[in-house]
Amino acid sequence: MVERTLTLIKPECVAEKHIGDVIARIEKGGFTIKAMKMLQLTKREAEKFYEVHKERPFYGELTDYMSSGPIVAMVLEKENCIADFRNFIGATNPQEAAEGTIRRDFGKSIQFNCVHASDSPENAKREIYFYFSDREIME
Ligand code: CMP
């Protein structure tokens, strides 16, 4: 089934000028970019976006970090996109991510892990519409 997922290029990856590297990997990996924008989250927006993690001990530092600088948000499309993209970027902790994955090559730590990806169809829908309207998503 053709699916869509939401990915974010996180602040450290943008600051280190890896936007182009990450986008090239995504396109070569067979994912089609259907929407894209650069923005900076407010602390409150980051808290809302990551509210599923609000009981976790890292919630405060995660939302400080994610609102600390510009990010790039994208909607990607492909067959089995949600699971395939999570495999493609590698494990949450870059040290545990497989060779050749985006997180392994550009991530620094579990917090500074280069990219975010939706983890289920329900979350993908919620996360896509957190950043984009229908008008901004290509057919
Ligand atoms: P992401 O895919 O954006 O989803 C939630 C984020 O929380 C995750 O990537 C990590 O960056 C972050 N995270 C997960 N576990 C930890 C942890 N133990 N310490 C700090 N950050 C974490």
Side-chain angles (χ1 to χ4, degrees), residues 10 13 18 28 30 65 74 78 80 82 87 98 114-115 121 136:
K10 296 187 177 188
C13 192
H18 288 309
K28 288 199 185 93
Y65 165 57
M74 286 179 273
K78 187 186 159 302
N80 202 39
I82 297 165
N87 284 331
C114 186
V115 288
E136 296 171 308

Side-chain angles (χ1 to χ4, degrees), residues 10 50 53 58 61-62 92 103 110-111 113 115-117:
K10 296 187 177 188
Y50 279 112
H53 296 304
F58 56 81
E61 66 185 64
L62 173 65
T92 304
R103 281 176 167 161
I110 196 158
Q111 181 170 184
N113 65 350
V115 288
H116 167 82

